């Protein structure tokens, strides 16, 4: 028997796990009580790591489609097939004829974080899509213009706050999102135990709302109106207190003027939150010694996603809680170049636009809501080849049915994935990778969003019988750069490492004899603010605690002015569109929202039996008043119809949802042919993204609207 301590890579919480092995078999997975961040916490996803490792449906060899059917081939054969077909598309039709889609699991994959950039740059396409444009691009957009960087995102100082106002967030189920934190339930309990208050704004009474002091069941898609009314109240009642931010903020007067129409009385009929309640919320927020406003996926996947994201930080600034203990603070990650060690280009969105609809680039990607039309529409720049990396857009993107119908029109499709699933079934070549226990891990992105500064390195706990994904990405880089399928991986690795060293201002030789991710991580740690090396983390299997969040303004800012730009034109230009919503009363039609589930992470964990056992997880939640009016009953079947299609789903009648709203979790819909996911097919659920409209997007960021979708519901 052997034991390894690993960081869970299955969601944003980065919990430490203690995994016990008998040879290559996982015998137990439990929380690591000595982990400096999670302190023994574990959720059902982490506990399923052994099931993922041993899943018989997981691909263990490359697949190539021949005569319409997949055949297992050698790695050499797979790369030869890619080399024969992918470069030819780009050569004939141009670089933008090749598109890339990167899914959510890639954010938890060190190989993609370190080596994906080299492959994507080698492809040279502007048709780059990720799951970010179906969940969080508005936050990158607003942070970029406010603070100067798309990843300069403040997070709640959860362990020291005394008043937490959350909108569209359910961290007891999501384990945090753009807020890396383990055991959120325990952390929220601690807020209340120290005399603080937790307030939740959400159309559903979620698990987080159940654990809060108060819950406001807002109408979907109206969060920006509520936030603007809070801003209005702060100005109207002379409650604005910038504190130490006074000398670091531009645009306060402009925000005051913009907020004038959004009185509590004006927004109350639209939001469903009473004017008196809005005023009380604003007063309590302003009066709290340490307070923070936090918004997540429910606020970013709506018609005014960017304005909502912006207003969250406007409130944190106006109450003096940005960059203050217990407020919204900027983490100081261990890996990467120190702040202030080199100028950054000012943030700008819309540097290019999609060919058909003209949707904007944000943070280097374009909205996936445009992908199907870019494949279907003939002409120069038409997408003719697609590379997917750890993504399942046929389940997780708007109007998923249209995209599924478009993929067979491609001349070539390559997928890097461990499953033959709803998306990869359309591929010509599928390249699998090791399990999380067979690869090294460090959460580069998520430690930039953590509620405490920590660092934890996980070496591979088991040897891998297949190539590491960083090697696969480098071989693909060789193909994309014309070096062929047998390019010198070691030379490419050295080139990537040298570029990282250059950006970090280091001599690559300081990493010694290390190669691969270990070399790059050593360089990035050496360049970071804590004088750490990879050897330091290797000697600390439970992680290194680098202390609580601390004030970082002004050095964290990289706007042209060097100040917080509270009213950037790129954002405030959309305020008149929001103002048109004032006085617009609900039309009585039902609207659809999504919901998170603790035992699920989008579409990619439904093939693990421990996570899908028990009652059906994919239901449409309906309020009893709506159920009675529509003739629906608990446990029955309903047809849910939107502009884009119809699905059938089991009914769950509950007062957890506000009247006029229905809720279906996303990521389901495994009842299609040509997949090898036995457990998922036995628990198919329904694909809610058949109902999401790819034509409905946030005007500024192009992010898909997944909350507030007009639908009709009737008995099936």
């Amino acid at each position: 028997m052997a034991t390894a301590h690993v960081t869970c890579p299955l969601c944003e919480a980065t919990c430490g796990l203690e995994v016990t092995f008998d040879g290559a078999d996982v015998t137990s997975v439990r929380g690591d009580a000595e982990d400096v961040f999670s302190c023994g916490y574990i959720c059902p996803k982490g506990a399923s790591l052994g099931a993922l490792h041993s899943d018989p449906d997981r691909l263990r060899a490359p697949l190539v489609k021949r005569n319409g059917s997949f055949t297992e081939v050698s790695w050499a054969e797979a790369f030869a097939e890619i080399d024969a077909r992918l470069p030819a598309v780009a050569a004939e039709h141009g670089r933008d004829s090749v598109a890339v889609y990167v899914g959510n699991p890639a954010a938890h994959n060190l190989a993609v974080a370190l080596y994906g950039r080299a492959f994507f740059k080698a492809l040279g396409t502007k048709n780059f899509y990720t799951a970010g444009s179906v969940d969080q691009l508005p936050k990158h957009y607003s942070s970029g213009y406010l603070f100067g960087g798309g990843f300069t995102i403040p997070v709640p100082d959860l362990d020291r706050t005394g008043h937490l106002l959350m909108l569209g967030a359910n961290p007891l189920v999501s384990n945090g999102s753009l807020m890396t934190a383990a055991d959120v339930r325990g952390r929220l309990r601690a807020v209340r135990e120290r005399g603080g208050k937790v307030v939740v704004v959400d159309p559903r009474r979620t698990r987080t709302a159940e654990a809060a002091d108060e819950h406001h069941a807002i109408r979907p898609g109206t969060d920006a109106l509520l936030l603007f009314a809070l801003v209005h109240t702060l100005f109207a009642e002379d409650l604005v207190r910038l504190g130490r931010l006074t000398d670091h903020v531009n645009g306060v007067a402009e925000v005051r003027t913009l907020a004038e129409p959004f009185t509590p009385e004006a927004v109350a009929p639209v939001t469903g939150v009473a004017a008196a309640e809005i005023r009380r919320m604003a007063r309590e927020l302003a009066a709290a010694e340490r307070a923070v406003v936090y918004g997540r996926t429910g606020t970013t996947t709506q018609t005014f996603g960017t304005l909502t994201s912006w207003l969250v930080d406007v409130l944190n600034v106006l109450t003096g809680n940005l960059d203050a203990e217990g407020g919204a603070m900027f983490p100081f990650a261990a890996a990467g170049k120190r702040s202030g060690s080199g100028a950054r280009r000012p943030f700008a969105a819309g540097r290019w636009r999609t060919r058909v609809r003209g949707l904007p680039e944000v943070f280097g990607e374009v909205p996936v809501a445009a992908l199907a039309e870019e494949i279907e529409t003939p002409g120069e720049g038409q997408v003719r080849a697609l590379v997917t990396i750890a993504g399942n857009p046929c389940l997780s993107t708007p109007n998923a049915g249209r995209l599924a119908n478009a993929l067979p029109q491609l001349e070539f499709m390559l997928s890097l994935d461990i499953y033959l699933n709803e998306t990869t079934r359309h591929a010509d070549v599928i390249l699998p990778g090791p399990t999380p226990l067979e690869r090294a891990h460090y959460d580069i992105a998520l430690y930039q969003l953590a509620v405490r500064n920590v660092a934890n390195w996980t070496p591979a706990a088991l040897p891998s019988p297949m190539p590491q994904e960083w090697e696969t990405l480098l071989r693909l880089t060789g193909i994309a750069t014309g070096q062929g399928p047998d390019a010198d991986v070691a030379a490419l690795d050295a080139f990537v490492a040298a570029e990282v060293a250059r950006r970090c201002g280091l001599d690559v030789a300081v990493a010694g004899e290390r190669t691969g991710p270990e070399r790059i991580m050593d360089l990035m740690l050496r360049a970071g603010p804590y004088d750490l090396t990879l050897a330091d983390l290797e000697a600390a299997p439970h992680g290194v605690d680098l202390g609580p969040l601390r004030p970082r303004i002004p050095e964290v800012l990289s706007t042209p002015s060097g100040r917080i730009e509270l009213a950037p034109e790129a954002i405030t230009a959309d305020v008149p569109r929001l103002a048109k919503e004032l006085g617009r009363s609900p039309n009585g039609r039902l609207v659809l929202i999504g919901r998170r589930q603790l035992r699920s992470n989008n579409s990619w964990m439904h093939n693990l039996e421990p996570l899908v056992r028990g009652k059906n997880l994919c239901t449409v939640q309906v309020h009893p008043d709506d159920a009675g009016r529509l003739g629906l009953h608990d446990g029955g079947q309903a047809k849910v119809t939107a502009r884009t299609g119809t699905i059938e789903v089991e009914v769950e009648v509950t007062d957890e949802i506000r009247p006029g709203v229905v809720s279906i979790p996303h990521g389901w819909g495994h009842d299609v042919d040509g997949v090898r996911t036995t457990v998922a097919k036995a628990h198919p659920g329904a694909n809610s993204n058949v109902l999401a409209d790819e034509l409905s997007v946030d005007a500024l960021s192009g992010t898909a609207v997944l909350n507030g979708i007009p639908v009709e519901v009737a008995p099936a």
Side-chain angles (χ1 to χ4, degrees):
M1 303 289 282
T3 299
H5 296 97
V6 306
T7 302
C8 180
L10 301 182
C11 80
E12 295 190 38
T14 69
C15 298
L17 305 178
E18 183 178 279
V19 184
T20 304
F21 303 91
D22 183 359
D25 298 326
V26 176
T27 57
S28 72
V29 181
R30 55 174 59 92
D32 177 8
E34 297 181 62
D35 186 88
V36 298
F37 190 41
S38 59
C39 304
Y41 177 80
I42 188 173
C43 84
K45 291 190 288 292
S48 73
L49 204 59
L52 175 61
H53 178 73
S54 61
D55 186 353
D57 286 334
R58 182 174 53 81
L59 300 181
R60 289 161 170 80
L63 299 181
V64 170
K65 187 177 288 179
R66 291 174 176 158
N67 299 318
S69 299
F70 282 107
T71 301
E72 282 195 5
V73 299
S74 69
W75 286 89
E77 289 177 278
F79 282 114
E81 182 78 6
I82 298 165
D83 184 55
R85 300 182 63 182
L86 182 60
V89 175
E92 182 176 355
H93 303 291
R95 289 180 177 271
D96 290 339
S97 67
V98 180
V100 175
Y101 177 83
V102 181
N104 171 274
H108 312 274
N109 187 305
L110 183 62
V112 179
L114 297 181
Y115 292 90
R117 176 187 173 108
F119 176 45
F120 306 146
K121 287 190 71 174
L123 289 174
T125 179
K126 291 186 174 68
N127 277 304
F128 186 82
Y129 307 84
T130 83
S133 59
V134 286
D135 61 12
Q136 68 186 46
L137 270 192
K139 198 63 186 179
H140 295 294
Y141 187 107
S142 65
S143 294
Y145 282 109
L146 264 69
F147 311 122
F151 236 104
T152 308
I153 297 174
V155 304
D157 185 13
L158 209 53
D159 295 335
R160 293 182 291 186
T161 195
H163 187 100
L164 175 61
L165 171 58
M166 286 188 284
L167 301 95
N170 189 10
L172 263 65
V173 169
S174 68
N175 284 331
S177 177
L178 292 184
M179 180 184 74
T180 296
D183 189 17
V184 175
R185 180 182 292 276
R187 285 179 150 94
L188 295 189
R189 187 185 304 118
V191 174
R192 302 178 71 185
E193 287 174 350
R194 57 180 175 261
K197 186 173 186 178
V198 177
V199 181
V200 170
V201 176
D202 198 292
R204 290 180 59 241
R205 191 174 68 249
T206 61
R207 283 197 190 186
T208 304
E210 292 276 9
D213 294 280
E214 66 183 55
H215 168 227
H216 300 274
I218 193 170
R219 286 196 177 94
T222 64
D223 301 78
L225 293 170
L226 172 64
L227 292 169
F228 241 142
L230 295 174
V231 170
H232 176 99
T233 303
L234 293 179
F235 282 114
E237 300 189 6
D238 195 25
L239 298 174
V240 173
R241 300 289 186 270
L242 297 181
R244 62 176 291 271
L245 298 177
T246 301
D247 296 332
H248 303 291
V249 182
N250 291 335
V252 175
E254 290 91 334
V255 170
R256 179 172 193 151
T257 300
L258 290 168
E260 287 177 359
F262 299 93
T263 66
E265 286 75 18
V267 308
V270 189
T271 62
V273 182
E277 286 292 278
I278 295 172
R279 286 197 170 86
R280 180 181 62 80
M281 291 168 68
R283 292 165 185 159
E284 291 184 357
L285 181 68
E289 183 179 354
R290 294 178 173 184
V292 63
V293 184
Y294 167 65
R296 264 319 292 130
T297 308
T299 64
T300 53
T301 56
Q302 58 175 276
T303 306
F304 298 99
T306 299
L307 285 181
T308 305
S309 298
W310 165 65
L311 286 164
V312 165
D313 286 322
V314 167
L315 279 169
N316 286 323
V317 169
L318 295 179
T319 55
N321 287 305
L322 182 78
D323 202 44
E325 288 188 9
M329 303 191 76
F330 299 93
F332 208 10
K337 194 164 63 172
R338 293 174 172 85
S339 296
S341 59
R344 284 188 288 177
R345 287 181 295 179
F347 179 87
R351 293 172 295 175
W352 60 89
R353 292 181 175 269
T354 59
R355 177 180 60 104
V356 178
R357 213 184 325 165
L359 296 180
E361 165 272 338
V362 178
F363 211 38
E365 63 180 276
V366 288
V368 75
L371 178 55
E373 66 198 33
E374 292 294 328
I375 296 172
E376 296 169 342
T377 307
E380 185 178 352
Q382 179 182 6
V383 170
R384 299 170 183 268
L386 175 66
V387 179
T388 68
I389 298 180
N392 195 355
C394 286
L395 292 189
S396 58
T397 61
N399 198 349
R402 181 180 180 183
L403 181 61
N405 290 331
L407 293 184
Q409 301 175 37
L410 294 167
E411 295 179 19
F412 181 69
M413 180 172 165
L414 164 66
S415 293
L416 278 66
D417 206 292
I418 62 172
Y419 286 115
L420 176 51
N421 61 26
E422 295 75 19
T423 296
T424 63
R425 67 189 175 120
H426 297 288
D428 297 286
V429 180
I430 307 175
L431 301 178
T435 75
L437 296 173
E438 296 170 343
R439 66 185 189 223
H441 184 62
Y442 183 93
D443 270 302
I444 291 179
L446 302 183
Y447 288 148
Q448 297 180 63
L449 302 165
V451 300
R452 189 173 179 88
N453 295 314
V454 296
N456 204 333
W457 168 259
T458 297
L462 294 170
S464 172
M466 66 180 71
Q468 291 290 330
E469 285 152 310
W470 66 271
E471 297 172 301
T472 297
L473 286 165
L474 287 179
R475 289 190 71 175
L476 292 174
T477 302
I479 289 173
T481 54
Q483 299 175 57
D486 300 312
D488 187 338
V489 170
L492 289 169
D493 179 33
F495 175 82
V496 173
E499 177 60 17
V500 170
R502 184 192 65 77
R503 293 200 306 267
C504 290
L506 296 173
D507 184 341
V508 71
V510 299
E513 299 299 315
R514 294 184 186 272
T515 60
E518 287 83 356
R519 172 165 54 185
I520 295 179
M521 282 308 310
D522 189 51
L523 291 167
M524 294 177 69
L525 289 166
R526 289 175 185 271
Y530 300 101
D531 295 320
L532 287 172
T533 67
L534 184 57
D536 294 326
L537 299 191
E538 289 170 331
H542 308 288
V544 175
D545 181 9
L546 300 168
L549 307 184
R550 59 181 187 266
R552 298 190 61 204
I553 287 177
E555 57 98 7
V556 75
L557 303 175
S558 56
T559 56
S561 66
R563 296 161 68 95
I564 299 167
E565 295 294 346
L566 206 61
E569 171 67 18
I571 294 176
T572 59
D574 200 31
V575 173
R577 185 173 68 98
L578 178 66
K580 292 179 182 178
E581 298 296 305
L582 296 172
R584 184 174 295 177
S585 59
N587 60 12
R589 189 174 182 183
L590 289 172
V591 294
L592 171 68
I593 63 172
R595 69 179 185 267
R596 292 273 196 175
Q597 296 175 319
L598 184 60
R599 289 188 283 156
S600 176
N601 195 346
N602 304 322
S603 69
W604 63 285
M605 301 195 73
H606 297 158
N607 206 53
L608 305 181
E609 193 275 334
L611 297 180
V612 296
R613 63 169 62 127
K615 68 176 184 178
N616 179 22
L617 297 175
C618 186
T619 63
V620 55
Q621 291 186 335
V622 185
H623 189 273
D625 293 351
D626 293 321
R629 176 173 56 86
L630 297 169
L632 303 171
H633 66 273
D634 195 69
Q637 292 288 309
K639 284 186 177 181
V640 185
T641 301
R643 182 195 75 83
T644 52
T646 299
I647 62 173
E648 289 193 14
V649 61
E650 182 181 328
V651 175
E652 180 183 351
V653 179
T654 174
D655 64 1
E656 291 179 1
I657 194 85
R658 70 165 287 147
V661 182
V662 297
S663 174
I664 305 174
H666 83 283
W668 297 86
H670 306 294
D671 53 345
V672 299
D673 295 329
V675 300
R676 296 183 191 173
T677 50
T678 307
V679 173
K681 286 204 73 170
H683 303 80
N687 184 357
S688 68
N689 279 318
V690 167
L691 307 173
D693 193 337
E694 82 281 18
L695 302 182
S696 181
V697 297
D698 170 42
L700 296 181
S701 69
T703 301
V705 174
L706 304 181
N707 287 296
I709 302 168
V711 293
E712 296 177 356
V713 183

